[in-house]
Amino acid sequence: MVHQVLYRALVSTKWLAESIRSGKLGPSLRVLDASWYSPGTRQARKEYQERHVPGASFFDIEECRDTASPYEMMLPSEAHFGDYVGNLGISNDTHVVVYDGDDLGSFYAPRVWWMFRVFGHRTVSVLNGGFRNWLKEGHPVTSEPSRPEPAVFKATLNRSLLKTYEQVLENLQSKRFQMVDSRAQGRYLGTQPEPDIVGLDSGHIRGSVNMPFMDFLTADGFEKSPEELRAIFQDKKVDLSQPIIATCRKGVTACHIALAAYLCGKPDVAVYDGSWSEWFRRAPPETRVSQGKSGKA
C-alpha cells in the first residue's frame, strides 16, 4: 500500500487566530461558517450575522445542495458547487477552514469538509473545537459581513468518495465494503424516532455497524486523538485496512466517520449520500432492519 501524504484535516483555534491576526486571510485562506440547525431551534444565518470568526463567509448548506432531489441534503452538481464556492472567494488554490456553531463542537463542518474533498479539493480543514471553543477561548468575533472577491473554482467529482443507492444495494451481495452508520443507537435500532420528519421510520441498512458520531468527540467538543479513534473502530470490529461506506440519515454525520478514519490515515471512506432518507423510501423491505413496532422499518 502506497502511503500518500495527507493534508491536515484539523486546524486549531490558536492556529486560525494567529493566521487572522497576521493578515493571512484572503485568496489563499478562506474561513466558512457551515452551521445548520433543526427548524424551530436556532437560526444559523442570523447567528452568523450577529457574530462569526473575522473574515468568515456563511456556507448555506440549504443552498449548496441538489434542491431538485426528493431526498435530504444531496450533493449539488459540479457546476453548482464550483459557482457557489467561487462566489465565496475560493479557488482551487485556497486553503479552506470550516467550522460550525453546534454545541457538540462539530456537526455540519465535516460534511462541508467532505464536500470539498468529493469535488476534488485537497486543502480543506475543520476547525477543531468549532465556534464553541473559539468563543470559550476568547478569540475575536465580528458582525461585519465578509465580501470576498469572487474566484474561479473548477469542481471535479471524485466518485470513489461517493456511493449511490445502486452501489449500496449491490454491496449487500458482494460485501466488498463495510457499512458503518453514524446515527445515535436508538435511531439505528429503530427504537427512537427520526427527529424533525414525518413518514421516515427509524432503523438501519441490513449488515451495517453502528458507530454514533458523538463518540468521536470529547466532552469539550474536540476531535479525539487518532489513538482513541482507532480504538473505537477496533471495538466495533471495523477494519481500517478494508473499504468502508459511511451512512447516516442524510449524509451529514456520516462525514464524521470519513473524518475520523482520515485522521487514522485512511482517506478513502465513501459516503452514501442518500443514506437512510433514500434507503427507507427505495430499498426492499427485507434490507431495512428495525426493532421498532413493525420489526421492519
Side-chain angles (χ1 to χ4, degrees), residues 30-172:
R30 298 288 188 200
V31 182
L32 300 178
D33 180 334
S35 302
W36 185 94
Y37 307 110
S38 297
T41 56
R42 295 167 61 181
Q43 294 175 274
R45 188 181 285 275
K46 184 170 180 286
E47 289 188 24
Y48 164 81
Q49 289 164 348
E50 289 166 356
R51 60 178 186 179
H52 52 264
V53 171
S57 296
F58 186 70
F59 185 102
D60 192 336
I61 207 152
E62 292 282 358
E63 290 181 8
C64 193
R65 65 184 177 98
D66 179 1
T67 53
S69 172
Y71 310 116
E72 303 176 80
M73 298 294 178
M74 297 290 275
L75 278 177
S77 66
E78 290 172 328
H80 183 172
F81 185 82
D83 287 348
Y84 187 83
V85 302
N87 283 329
L88 298 178
I90 295 166
S91 76
N92 296 89
D93 299 319
T94 305
H95 177 198
V96 182
V97 175
V98 193
Y99 73 88
D100 64 61
D102 199 90
D103 292 336
L104 288 171
S106 178
F107 201 110
Y108 269 74
R111 167 71 180 187
V112 177
W113 169 83
W114 173 77
M115 287 173 76
F116 273 97
R117 294 185 60 243
V118 85
F119 283 118
H121 196 64
R122 180 173 168 267
T123 55
V124 58
S125 311
V126 170
L127 179 64
N128 196 12
F131 196 50
R132 166 188 167 182
N133 282 286
W134 182 268
L135 293 173
K136 183 179 171 186
E137 294 164 14
H139 297 299
V141 293
T142 184
S143 60
E144 199 174 313
S146 84
R147 295 187 178 87
E149 186 76 24
V152 175
F153 186 96
K154 180 163 174 42
T156 307
L157 185 65
N158 178 355
R159 294 188 181 278
S160 71
L161 296 180
L162 177 70
K163 290 294 175 221
T164 63
Y165 166 77
E166 289 78 14
Q167 289 170 315
V168 175
L169 192 63
E170 186 277 329
N171 190 67
L172 291 185

Side-chain angles (χ1 to χ4, degrees), residues 167-197:
Q167 289 170 315
V168 175
L169 192 63
E170 186 277 329
N171 190 67
L172 291 185
Q173 305 301 322
S174 69
K175 296 183 169 57
R176 286 183 303 129
F177 287 80
Q178 302 162 95
M179 286 281 299
V180 184
D181 189 316
S182 64
R183 288 171 300 157
Q185 187 183 42
R187 290 165 60 192
Y188 166 86
L189 292 175
T191 56
Q192 290 176 337
E194 287 293 327
D196 312 314
I197 195 164

